[in-house]
Amino acid sequence: MITAGIDVGSKTVKVVILQDGKILARSLVLTGFEQGKAAEEAFALALKQAGLSAKDIQKVVATGAGRTSVSFATESVSDVAADARGAVFINPNARTVIDVGAEEGRGISTDTRGKVIDFAVNERCAAGAGTFTEAMSRAIEVKLEDMGELSLKSTQEIPLNAQCAVFAESEVVSLVHAKTSKEDIARAIHDGISNRIAAMARRVGVQNDIVLIGGVARNKGFVASLKRQLEADIKIPDEPEYVGALGAAVIAAS
Amino acid sequence: MTLDRAKEIVTNRHDYAREWKKKTGSKVMGYFCTYVPEEIVYAAGVLPIRVIGSHEAQSYTEPHIYTMFCPFSRDVLAQGLRGKYDYLDGIMIGHSCLHLRQAFGAWMTNVPASFSYYMYTPAKIQSPHAKEMMLAETTEFKKAVENWLGRPITDDALDKSIEVYNTNRRLLKQIYELRKADPPPLFGSEAIELVLSSQLSDKAEHNKLLESVLKELPQRRNGPQGGNIRLMIIGSEDDDTNFLRYVEGLGATIVADEHCTGSRYFWNETVPEKDRLRAIGNRYMNRPPCPTKDWESRRRFVHIMNMAKEYNIQGAILVQQKFCDPHEFDIPPLKALLEKNGIPSLFLEFDITVPIGQFRTRVEAFLEMLQLEVV
Amino acid sequence: MVTSIKKYQTRPLDSFKKAVELRKEYYQNVREAKQQGKLLITGGADSMVALPAGLGDYVFFEGEPYGATISMDPEFSGKCVEAAEAKNFARDMCAYMRNYWGSMFLNKYYFGGEFPKPDFVMQLGFCDTHAKWMQQVGEYMNAPYFGIDMPVGTPGRNVEAKVKYLTSQMNDAIEWMQKVTGRKYDDDKLREAVRNECKSSTLWSEIVCYNKAIPAPLEQRLIFTLFIICILRRYERKSVEFYETLRDEVKQRVADGIAAVATERCRLMDDSQPPWYFLQLYKYMEKYGVSVVGSHYSFFLGGSLEEMPDGSLGAPKTPDEMGMPMKTREDILRAYALWYIKKPIISQMFALPHFKSETMLRLVKEWKVNGVIFHLNRGCEGTAMGQMENRLALTKAGIPVMTYEGNMADRREFDEAQTLRRIDAFMESLGLSKLES
Amino acid sequence: MTTQVEYWRWTESRYTNPEVDWRKASTITAGIDVGSVSSKAAVMADNEILAYGLMRTGSNSPDSALNAINRAIEGTGLTMKDIKFIVGTGYGRINIPFAGKAITEIACHARGANYIWGPVVRTILDMGGQDCKAIHCDEKGKVTAFLMNDKCAAGTGRGMEVFADLLQVPITQVGEMSLQVDKEPPPVSSTCVVFAKSEGIGLLRQGWSKNMVLAAYCSAMAHRVVTLLERIGMEKEFVLTGGISKNIGVVSRLEKELGIQAVPLPKDQKFDPQLAGAIGGALFARDLLAKSRKAF
Ligand SMILES: Nc1ncnc2c1ncn2[C@@H]1O[C@H](COP(=O)(O)OP(=O)(O)O)[C@@H](O)[C@H]1O
Ligand SMILES: Nc1ncnc2c1ncn2[C@@H]1O[C@H](COP(=O)(O)OP(=O)(O)O)[C@@H](O)[C@H]1O
Ligand code: SF4
Ligand code: SF4
Ligand code: SF4
């Protein structure tokens, strides 16, 4: 059976095509203004990679914030359900799934079959998601991709109140002027956001294995901060941003 | 300076308690609210210490308390859950606010101690019957402590305990008295540290500390300046001395306070009477009240206004832990009352960590308001 | 996926209309108390509302239900909570209070006219809010205020002292009321009111016990409409009559196998006050075949349960049924004090979390509940206290639990979509899917 | 994103008062207001405003301050050396190396408003890039009380810029366009500055017109500041300062909700209310200089 999962995130659309438990193709495009179009585009891209056409796909399941805009989907599932299924599919021992995307952070506890037991989501506030780091990286004029590496070189801990991304930005600017090193500021930023994410994860109860997914999982500095906060090891899949789409494809196959 | 010793006790509070335990071989009891009859605990040879904030944002409390409860209660619980107080033999709380009671409940359930006690401290302290109720509760509490320790608490021990506690209160008040001068011989942040260190140490030792502070203060050279703005801080639990130092670094001196980590803690003494427990209980019913216990009439405000006058303050900073219901009730009418009496005030909401950057403009603008001349 | 399911018989409840009527009449009485020559007293829903009875006819205008009522009207409620904020009162304070205060500050009574001016204010305090809420009302309305302090503390400890503390305060209150109203106090009327209150409460307790039956004859939305009389008018004879009729009706429903939710296949319990402006929540869950059979809150705000000889929970006896003397004023006050000291809503919810956890576990078992939904209610620190510990205790016992954050009376803090999303996920984890309509 | 038109870009500007000859003045002072979004400098010759400059704030406060003051003195013949005392204000005030003293924007806005509108002003509402402040002052322009929005920067100027960019509406026209709606839409509930864009997109997807989206955002913002004003207590002699005071969409809704009109700019006044902080700073600079001279 060949299925597809489409995750329409606020920033990017991800598609995974799955055949009997094997990933045939993946694709990612920017969501932009028209979610439906972006979804079609991403789907076409994935099909091309897999050398398939749309009718070869038996079932398409959409997920993510924009899941309702995917007209060609057979079904849609919530992002927490897709995340949990995807994470357990990759790592059968996953019990706590933390998904940090551009505009939303989630903590999910799941059972052995990838069914959601409980979850917590950050309220519509940028202080607990990828956008926060993006805004801060702009403030200290460091490329987003470099933030992680930079923060790993930090030598001291500085408390930063990640209450509001906007106000945090001015705190960051004051740190810059106080001649605080960019390394330390980068770490403070990651500590600030991971504190909020850790709180969410603890809310649902942290159990091993902890699997971190979503685009922000690519940020090594954030991962290091989160590990410190949770005092636990965190597993990160190779392609962390595709886990939601993968979960949707898995659900489609079952 | 002995003042540094006070700061050290506050900073290394756990070391202090651990050493005390080793030195005396006795037990330590953590208490959650200043409405507990500490004298009884002390008379039993147990060291009562107050559990206060650590100002480290931690996510450990998430499964136990959710975000609508005050940061202080969460900070307290986080430390318990993390084992920072693993040396405590017992914990107790007096009936005050729901926030702290919830932290206590979670602590009791998740961090085993050999003794835990929730005492009802009456809220309608303005009723004469509250004293009777308090007596019944202190009597039960004394029995519980005796059972726990397997030995009685004698009248003699109670007398000594009351004496030590009263001395501590008297000495602190003497030091507070000196703050009426301009310039006062010590900073507000230091005064708060004196009170905090009292809550965290053996009062007999602390009395000696206070005596030397009283001796040293007149000779002090590096204290506050004259002509600084005289401020009073008022509100909920406030042990964030970093913030106070920051304010005092901007040309203001905090000369008075009304906090349970300040004057509310020690302001009145136990008036001895034959029934020791009654004497002890009455003291708590008569002390400057926490807002939760200040009804039907508002006696707390009378106390605050007297203090404001005696200490000749120019402005007040109203400090409140975020979500602190007890203080949320009092702050609007208090602010209005201060204003009516020509005392401008600044209201600030504290979190576990205080973002000084976020408060900077407010604090500076407030001080400018009190000081900056417009020609 | 669509599953077909067996359906129980169902039929409307006759008493429903009566409850609605009695509630409407109550709010009218509040507005017209003065014209009717009755005293108007305001205070909390948990106050000792029978106490003023000795003064003659009166209406006790309760703050919390009024706040809840306002909250169902988005426009008026919005104005009220903002009026409280304009006076610098924090947004995280009790949401009932902010609605009530706002209505007072705006001088607008929700049911028409000006905000009713009370002859005096009387409160029983055990939440941080109670006493201070009414302090503000007394000052703002320029009405005399008497607060009674409820000794919470560890249940079962120092009971005699607690009784004495309460009765002494009640005696003071009686003196005080006579002074501020200039009326003479009649103990017979007090006795009657206390009897009505205790009887209403035991009847309500009996009624909720019928909900142990499968299918449940009542569900939570219905319960909310029915329990309100036991809160607003519990000191009146009308309340007793209402609950007697209701009891008989519910008893008959159980005998006839009548369900509140025809498709009941899963029984849940919830916790804390609901978001009053979004009671559709229960309807939404019905689509999954869920019947919410009650809660610690909805059972105990009006009622009380205690252990029966067979070990199960059942309705307590009234002071008369227990054979307590009710002759003198002291007798009555003593019985009344004990009644309050025993109230689970006070002794369990407001003491320490584990007391409530223990009771919740019993409720889950005896009411055959499959899972529990916690409304983490930011509008009420009282019922919110210990919720997370309660949740942990239930989880430890293997009971499926879900939480959602909200606010019982301030809709700005409620996220409808997010909540439904959580419900869907919870239903999925319970193995439920939506039924055909 | 490619660099096309930047709709959020309000016009940077400068102004010289033709009636003032600085060469005749005995002292030249200045105020520099480095805000989160804009940097402003006002130069004063004795008791008259001589010139001002208004620029966008860059990522570096000292540079932004320098840009603003340079812009202000451009073409006047003045050099930095002629300026005897500078007061820095705004959120970047601590990082203005050539300022003799830093004073908060709260004190400066009150002082500046007093200068611009005269001694009648009692309440000042400063709506800027990332926060809003309600200020009370006396007849001398001295602050007697103030309140700031805190915790959340939702619904502030910067968010408005993001919306303008998204909808491709020049920021200067946002207000006008927001008024061209048949029916006032409900205000947007969460207006996180950071999410302004995705929120706007969401509304457009729901089929809202541009004007409607702007109206919803403007009215949310007006409502937020009304609450702030109510909390501090309104006096009817109120004025608006800060960049948002140029947004008619916010201002008219605000006035409607309050039921009173802001005091209009005096007829002979040419000063931009966005400059109030910088002007206040310059006035303080003048006083401080006089005082220090007296002291010697
Ligand atoms: N290499 C990287 N370093 C740091 N952050 C990254 C990196 N790659 C992606 N991100 C972050 O991941 C976010 C996108 O995550 P994603 O899960 O794709 O979002 P969504 O599903 O919400 O659209 C971006 O906002 C960005 O902050
Ligand atoms: N000409 C204009 N028309 C409409 N809005 C404007 C105009 N100029 C500036 N603004 C608004 O004012 C905001 C900046 O306000 P300002 O008071 O300069 O902020 P700050 O002092 O915090 O830097 C901008 O974000 C923009 O939304
Ligand atoms: S403005 Fe700040 S606090 Fe408000 S929602 Fe956005 S990031 Fe969060
Ligand atoms: S700060 Fe307030 S809410 Fe918190 S523990 Fe103290 S009194 Fe209670
Ligand atoms: S218990 Fe809840 S509803 Fe009642 S007064 Fe307290 S906070 Fe308000």
Side-chain angles (χ1 to χ4, degrees):
Chain A
M1 182 174 187
I2 307 180
T3 59
I6 302 193
D7 175 5
V8 186
S10 47
K11 182 134 192 192
T12 57
V13 179
K14 286 125 309 201
V15 175
V16 167
I17 298 181
L18 193 71
Q19 181 174 31
D20 305 325
K22 264 185 59 199
I23 296 175
L24 294 183
R26 279 192 205 97
S27 67
L28 182 148
V29 305
L30 285 176
T31 308
F33 182 67
E34 286 171 87
Q35 293 169 315
K37 238 166 107 188
E40 276 166 29
E41 201 182 304
F43 188 46
L45 203 68
L47 286 173
K48 202 167 134 205
Q49 262 186 43
L52 296 169
S53 75
K55 56 182 186 320
D56 299 326
I57 314 288
Q58 274 141 298
K59 210 165 165 196
V60 181
V61 169
T63 186
R67 61 179 176 276
T68 47
S69 60
V70 186
S71 53
F72 52 93
T74 336
E75 238 177 69
S76 73
V77 295
S78 67
D79 20 33
V80 283
D83 281 353
R85 274 303 265 283
V88 170
F89 181 82
I90 296 176
N91 175 355
N93 295 324
R95 289 298 166 272
T96 306
V97 183
I98 302 174
D99 177 359
V100 189
E103 296 192 354
E104 202 170 85
R106 300 177 202 116
I108 306 160
S109 68
T110 164
D111 69 6
T112 48
R113 290 165 303 155
K115 256 175 66 180
V116 177
I117 298 171
D118 197 1
F119 65 95
V121 183
N122 80 320
E123 335 89 68
R124 288 163 295 183
C125 167
T131 311
F132 183 75
T133 330
E134 286 175 39
M136 297 307 127
S137 71
R138 247 174 281 132
I140 59 170
E141 298 175 322
V142 168
K143 279 220 301 284
L144 177 66
E145 290 71 23
D146 300 338
M147 285 286 284
E149 285 295 340
L150 193 68
S151 73
L152 294 178
K153 296 193 199 112
S154 156
T155 52
Q156 84 172 298
E157 197 178 330
I158 303 160
L160 176 81
N161 204 298
Q163 161 84 343
C164 166
V166 181
F167 289 129
E169 193 171 324
S170 46
E171 276 195 64
V172 162
V173 173
S174 332
L175 287 175
V176 172
H177 290 299
K179 304 264 183 292
T180 314
S181 77
K182 286 195 178 175
E183 287 81 0
D184 293 339
I185 300 178
R187 163 157 178 198
I189 292 164
H190 293 132
D191 284 350
I193 170 172
S194 66
N195 192 288
R196 288 179 68 121
I197 299 289
M200 226 159 45
R202 286 196 196 280
R203 185 84 168 260
V204 301
V206 177
Q207 267 185 4
N208 282 334
D209 288 356
I210 307 166
V211 175
L212 175 66
I213 61 172
V216 178
R218 291 200 180 271
N219 181 334
K220 292 198 187 74
F222 169 73
V223 174
S225 287
L226 190 62
K227 275 187 185 159
R228 265 197 305 273
Q229 290 276 344
L230 292 177
E231 291 173 339
D233 191 34
I234 295 173
K235 306 246 154 53
I236 297 161
D238 288 340
E239 306 282 348
E241 61 273 65
Y242 288 98
V243 178
L246 174 64
V250 174
I251 290 172
S254 63
Chain B
M1 256 318 266
T2 318
L3 279 172
D4 297 334
R5 172 69 190 139
K7 186 177 177 188
E8 202 180 300
I9 293 174
V10 178
T11 318
N12 304 319
R13 59 192 84 149
H14 302 305
D15 295 342
Y16 177 91
R18 283 205 181 88
E19 268 160 40
W20 186 92
K21 234 178 129 157
K22 209 153 80 198
K23 199 168 66 193
T24 61
S26 305
K27 291 183 158 58
V28 179
M29 168 130 78
Y31 65 89
F32 279 54
C33 162
T34 52
Y35 273 105
V36 298
E38 277 184 68
E39 294 92 326
I40 298 174
V41 181
Y42 192 75
V46 173
L47 176 67
I49 58 167
R50 182 168 184 193
V51 182
I52 56 170
S54 70
H55 306 289
E56 280 173 52
Q58 292 164 357
S59 49
Y60 291 86
T61 52
E62 278 303 312
H64 305 278
I65 296 191
Y66 68 103
T67 43
M68 71 173 281
F69 291 92
C70 89
F72 175 64
S73 63
R74 279 182 279 137
D75 194 359
V76 160
L77 178 61
Q79 297 178 73
L81 294 172
R82 298 217 60 188
K84 292 270 162 82
Y85 281 96
D86 55 2
Y87 54 85
L88 291 182
D89 303 283
I91 51 166
M92 91 163 292
I93 190 169
H95 182 94
S96 52
C97 73
L98 289 160
H99 298 240
L100 207 50
R101 188 142 80 250
Q102 151 153 300
F104 181 83
W107 185 312
M108 191 177 139
T109 315
N110 299 287
V111 191
S114 66
F115 180 84
S116 54
Y117 200 91
Y118 158 42
M119 188 181 113
Y120 184 71
T121 315
K124 194 178 181 182
I125 53 171
Q126 295 180 14
S127 159
H129 311 302
K131 296 196 167 113
E132 296 303 318
M133 185 67 223
M134 183 71 178
L135 177 61
E137 285 288 318
T138 47
T139 308
E140 278 298 307
F141 175 61
K142 176 167 167 277
K143 272 192 232 152
V145 175
E146 287 170 337
N147 274 339
W148 174 43
L149 300 172
R151 57 170 188 263
I153 300 170
T154 62
D155 278 351
D156 206 30
L158 282 172
D159 287 340
K160 282 206 187 93
S161 173
I162 292 173
E163 182 46 35
V164 169
Y165 269 71
N166 274 350
T167 307
N168 196 260
R169 290 162 184 151
R170 208 171 304 137
L171 290 169
L172 279 168
K173 219 169 165 184
Q174 276 176 34
I175 293 173
Y176 266 52
E177 197 61 31
L178 299 175
R179 299 169 75 190
K180 290 180 179 167
D182 187 31
L186 76 170
F187 286 108
S189 45
E190 293 167 332
I192 293 286
E193 268 159 6
L194 286 176
V195 182
L196 284 172
S197 57
S198 160
Q199 298 180 338
L200 296 168
S201 62
D202 185 331
K203 294 269 193 295
E205 286 176 24
H206 198 259
N207 287 342
K208 293 198 195 104
L209 185 151
L210 293 178
E211 276 162 11
S212 26
V213 168
L214 270 167
K215 274 208 207 83
E216 289 167 24
L217 283 177
Q219 277 104 55
R220 184 168 194 196
R221 296 276 165 269
N222 57 345
Q225 301 298 303
N228 271 357
I229 300 172
R230 298 177 67 85
L231 291 183
M232 178 167 174
I233 45 172
I234 306 174
S236 61
E237 190 277 349
D238 175 17
D239 55 35
D240 198 324
T241 46
N242 281 342
F243 174 75
L244 303 181
R245 288 213 156 75
Y246 162 73
V247 173
E248 296 195 307
L250 294 172
T253 305
I254 295 160
V255 296
D257 69 72
E258 200 263 353
H259 285 290
C260 62
T261 35
S263 69
R264 277 212 299 275
Y265 177 63
F266 65 81
W267 210 244
N268 67 330
E269 291 179 27
T270 302
V271 182
E273 48 181 293
K274 193 145 168 300
D275 184 342
R276 277 87 172 171
L277 292 184
R278 186 181 286 276
I280 290 172
N282 286 355
R283 187 255 159 201
Y284 289 89
M285 296 297 97
N286 291 332
R287 58 165 266 199
C290 163
T292 44
K293 299 194 193 296
D294 194 34
W295 45 278
E296 293 104 345
S297 53
R298 295 192 188 266
R299 297 190 184 161
R300 178 174 173 237
F301 290 1
V302 177
H303 171 68
I304 291 174
M305 294 317 297
N306 282 342
M307 216 173 175
K309 203 182 285 153
E310 282 173 22
Y311 285 81
N312 191 23
I313 65 160
Q314 289 160 275
I317 298 187
L318 307 180
V319 172
Q320 186 211 296
Q321 295 275 336
K322 214 163 142 180
F323 309 134
C324 164
D325 289 85
H327 285 272
E328 282 171 350
F329 279 97
D330 270 16
I331 282 176
L334 177 59
K335 200 168 167 56
L337 181 67
L338 287 167
E339 233 146 74
K340 219 177 82 194
N341 284 278
I343 302 168
S345 61
L346 173 70
F347 167 63
L348 296 176
E349 242 179 8
F350 276 20
D351 210 327
I352 292 175
T353 54
V354 173
I356 288 178
Q358 216 163 301
F359 285 159
R360 179 171 281 132
T361 300
R362 267 162 254 222
V363 173
E364 289 179 10
F366 181 62
L367 296 179
E368 284 168 3
M369 191 172 118
L370 297 174
Q371 182 182 44
L372 201 62
E373 275 313 310
V374 175
V375 196
Chain C
M1 238 181 304
V2 174
T3 334
S4 63
I5 189 165
K6 109 169 189 223
K7 281 198 180 172
Y8 294 107
Q9 242 192 52
T10 185
R11 70 169 175 241
L13 192 78
D14 294 335
S15 303
F16 182 84
K17 254 184 39 212
K18 183 71 187 165
V20 173
E21 211 173 279
L22 284 170
R23 176 174 168 277
K24 202 172 143 208
E25 187 183 69
Y26 166 82
Y27 283 112
Q28 211 168 325
N29 290 345
V30 168
R31 195 182 56 203
E32 292 163 8
K34 292 272 155 62
Q35 286 123 283
Q36 296 173 1
K38 293 176 182 163
L39 284 173
L40 183 72
I41 300 150
T42 195
D46 304 297
S47 305
M48 305 180 108
V49 290
L51 209 51
L55 299 170
D57 279 352
Y58 69 112
V59 185
F60 202 105
F61 178 32
E62 296 180 355
E64 293 89 336
Y66 181 61
T69 301
I70 293 178
S71 78
M72 298 192 210
D73 178 334
E75 209 189 312
F76 190 64
S77 173
K79 282 192 186 132
C80 289
V81 292
E82 285 185 4
E85 268 153 49
K87 294 223 181 274
N88 281 310
F89 288 106
R91 192 169 156 162
D92 55 276
M93 297 171 102
C94 171
Y96 286 159
M97 178 182 76
R98 287 183 289 120
N99 277 291
Y100 174 104
W101 275 359
S103 166
M104 173 177 83
F105 293 145
L106 297 169
N107 194 22
K108 279 200 181 102
Y109 182 51
Y110 183 61
F111 298 92
E114 297 191 345
F115 189 81
K117 172 146 174 34
D119 292 286
F120 63 85
V121 185
M122 181 167 270
Q123 176 68 299
L124 180 70
F126 51 88
C127 155
D128 298 350
T129 298
H130 291 133
K132 302 293 278 187
W133 171 345
M134 291 301 157
Q135 182 179 41
Q136 182 69 31
V137 173
E139 288 172 5
Y140 189 84
M141 298 298 289
N142 200 11
Y145 168 40
F146 195 95
I148 298 179
D149 181 19
M150 178 71 211
V152 185
T154 305
R157 185 191 292 155
N158 259 340
V159 173
E160 262 321 301
K162 287 175 183 169
V163 169
K164 187 156 170 258
Y165 184 38
L166 272 178
T167 49
S168 314
Q169 292 183 76
M170 284 193 267
N171 271 315
D172 287 359
I174 292 172
E175 285 305 308
W176 178 88
M177 286 189 292
Q178 298 192 69
K179 218 168 69 206
V180 300
T181 61
R183 296 195 183 192
K184 278 213 80 66
Y185 197 83
D186 177 352
D187 290 341
D188 291 340
K189 288 184 175 151
L190 169 71
R191 185 183 306 107
E192 168 74 13
V194 169
R195 280 187 167 144
N196 287 341
E197 173 168 350
C198 297
K199 190 66 198 166
S200 297
S201 172
T202 47
L203 281 165
W204 176 250
S205 313
E206 202 184 326
I207 292 162
V208 301
C209 286
Y210 285 115
N211 235 27
K212 292 179 183 176
I214 297 181
L218 302 173
E219 56 72 50
Q220 191 74 320
R221 248 174 7 136
L222 210 48
I223 290 175
F224 287 144
T225 307
L226 301 170
F227 87 156
I228 195 70
I229 307 309
C230 193
I231 295 157
L232 298 175
R233 313 185 67 165
R234 58 187 188 265
Y235 54 91
E236 292 180 57
R237 181 71 210 154
K238 275 188 179 175
S239 164
V240 175
E241 284 159 8
F242 168 73
Y243 286 109
E244 275 165 354
T245 317
L246 176 64
R247 189 250 336 259
D248 296 343
E249 200 186 349
V250 174
K251 197 171 165 186
Q252 194 56 46
R253 273 166 89 89
V254 174
D256 299 348
I258 302 297
V261 176
T263 52
E264 173 180 316
R265 58 173 172 157
C266 172
R267 295 159 68 91
L268 297 181
M269 198 165 91
D270 65 357
D271 188 58
S272 182
Q273 300 94 321
W276 290 110
Y277 43 84
F278 195 68
L279 294 177
Q280 298 102 290
L281 198 65
Y282 298 99
K283 264 263 170 278
Y284 186 79
M285 287 191 276
E286 274 179 29
K287 288 190 194 153
Y288 284 96
V290 166
S291 179
V292 177
V293 297
S295 62
H296 188 279
Y297 164 77
S298 70
F299 287 1
F300 295 143
L301 193 61
S304 184
L305 294 170
E306 54 184 45
E307 196 165 292
M308 299 288 106
D310 68 354
S312 69
L313 290 174
K317 289 194 166 94
T318 62
D320 289 303
E321 288 161 358
M322 281 186 281
M324 288 183 76
M326 292 286 272
K327 269 175 98 145
T328 62
R329 182 186 291 178
E330 281 315 302
D331 290 343
I332 307 166
L333 293 185
R334 185 181 163 77
Y336 201 35
L338 268 168
W339 193 255
Y340 273 75
I341 288 168
K342 253 187 5 196
K343 273 189 168 195
I345 202 98
I346 300 172
S347 65
Q348 296 175 1
M349 202 179 267
F350 288 84
L352 291 171
H354 61 270
F355 298 116
K356 183 176 151 206
S357 298
E358 283 156 22
T359 304
M360 283 184 89
L361 283 165
R362 294 189 69 164
L363 295 180
V364 164
K365 210 168 126 224
E366 290 187 35
W367 271 255
K368 303 161 197 86
V369 161
N370 307 101
V372 179
I373 297 179
F374 282 89
H375 172 210
L376 301 179
N377 182 359
R378 301 177 71 99
C380 166
E381 43 143 21
T383 59
M385 187 183 77
Q387 278 190 307
M388 295 296 268
E389 281 303 315
N390 300 147
R391 165 185 167 270
L392 286 174
L394 292 173
T395 310
K396 220 165 107 192
I399 297 151
V401 166
M402 92 158 234
T403 60
Y404 69 96
E405 265 188 48
N407 187 311
M408 80 247 184
D410 188 343
R411 67 182 71 213
R412 296 171 305 178
E413 288 185 6
F414 180 73
D415 187 335
E416 192 179 311
Q418 165 89 248
T419 305
L420 295 181
R421 207 170 123 189
R422 301 189 71 92
I423 300 264
D424 289 337
F426 186 55
M427 295 298 141
E428 192 196 277
S429 75
L430 290 172
L432 300 173
S433 49
K434 280 190 189 165
L435 305 166
E436 298 175 79
S437 49
Chain D
M1 206 165 284
T2 46
T3 46
Q4 347 152 319
V5 196
E6 289 174 309
Y7 291 92
W8 52 263
R9 242 183 217 291
W10 32 266
T11 29
E12 296 184 337
S13 61
R14 68 165 311 287
Y15 162 84
T16 309
N17 190 341
E19 286 150 35
V20 180
D21 182 1
W22 63 269
R23 279 163 245 268
K24 290 199 189 121
S26 60
T27 49
I28 310 282
T29 54
I32 306 181
D33 176 1
V34 179
S36 61
V37 163
S38 71
S39 292
K40 295 130 288 198
V43 183
M44 196 147 207
D46 289 336
N47 298 324
E48 300 288 338
I49 295 293
L50 168 69
Y52 64 68
L54 167 62
M55 309 276 294
R56 188 145 191 97
T57 296
S59 61
N60 176 315
S61 315
D63 290 351
S64 305
L66 198 59
N67 286 344
I69 188 85
N70 280 337
R71 189 73 200 267
I73 58 183
E74 205 177 283
T76 56
L78 270 170
T79 66
M80 279 292 272
K81 274 205 281 317
D82 300 314
I83 305 174
K84 294 292 178 273
F85 199 89
I86 295 179
V87 161
T89 185
Y91 107 123
R93 67 184 175 280
I94 29 174
N95 299 306
I96 305 175
F98 39 89
K101 190 176 168 66
I103 296 178
T104 63
E105 57 271 36
I106 293 174
C108 290
H109 270 274
R111 192 75 199 278
N114 174 274
Y115 183 86
I116 298 174
W117 280 273
V120 293
V121 176
R122 282 296 164 281
T123 303
I124 299 123
L125 184 61
D126 169 26
M127 299 182 287
Q130 74 172 26
D131 51 29
C132 292
K133 306 178 184 84
I135 309 165
H136 270 319
C137 69
D138 63 14
E139 72 290 346
K140 286 193 247 152
K142 187 171 154 58
V143 178
T144 51
F146 64 90
L147 266 180
M148 271 171 88
N149 71 317
D150 44 8
K151 288 174 244 145
C152 177
T156 47
R158 180 68 195 122
M160 197 68 81
E161 294 180 9
V162 176
F163 262 69
D165 217 22
L166 169 77
L167 303 174
Q168 311 195 329
V169 171
I171 187 90
T172 45
Q173 285 167 35
V174 161
E176 274 303 334
M177 287 183 60
S178 80
L179 294 173
Q180 289 157 26
V181 286
D182 302 331
K183 215 180 107 237
E184 189 73 10
V188 275
S189 56
S190 100
T191 48
C192 175
V193 178
V194 185
F195 287 165
K197 205 162 196 156
S198 49
E199 246 198 284
I201 292 179
L203 293 174
L204 292 173
R205 274 192 203 126
Q206 284 171 36
W208 288 42
S209 69
K210 278 185 189 183
N211 293 0
M212 288 280 273
V213 175
L214 291 173
Y217 199 78
C218 287
S219 78
M221 189 161 169
H223 189 70
R224 280 174 65 101
V225 290
V226 166
T227 321
L228 200 67
L229 280 171
E230 276 173 350
R231 281 176 53 206
I232 198 167
M234 251 323 261
E235 302 210 27
K236 74 178 188 309
E237 300 80 12
F238 89 101
V239 299
L240 301 162
T241 65
I244 297 290
S245 66
K246 298 183 196 168
N247 182 324
I248 181 77
V250 176
V251 173
S252 63
R253 287 182 174 87
L254 178 73
E255 290 179 329
K256 196 165 149 218
E257 213 177 313
L258 288 171
I260 37 173
Q261 307 278 312
V263 179
L265 267 182
K267 282 212 180 49
D268 56 335
Q269 278 292 9
K270 321 157 243 343
F271 305 124
D272 185 335
Q274 201 173 351
L275 266 293
I279 292 174
L283 290 163
F284 278 120
R286 182 199 64 189
D287 297 351
L288 287 164
L289 185 66
K291 204 163 135 191
S292 72
R293 282 186 176 153
K294 229 182 274 162
F296 283 106

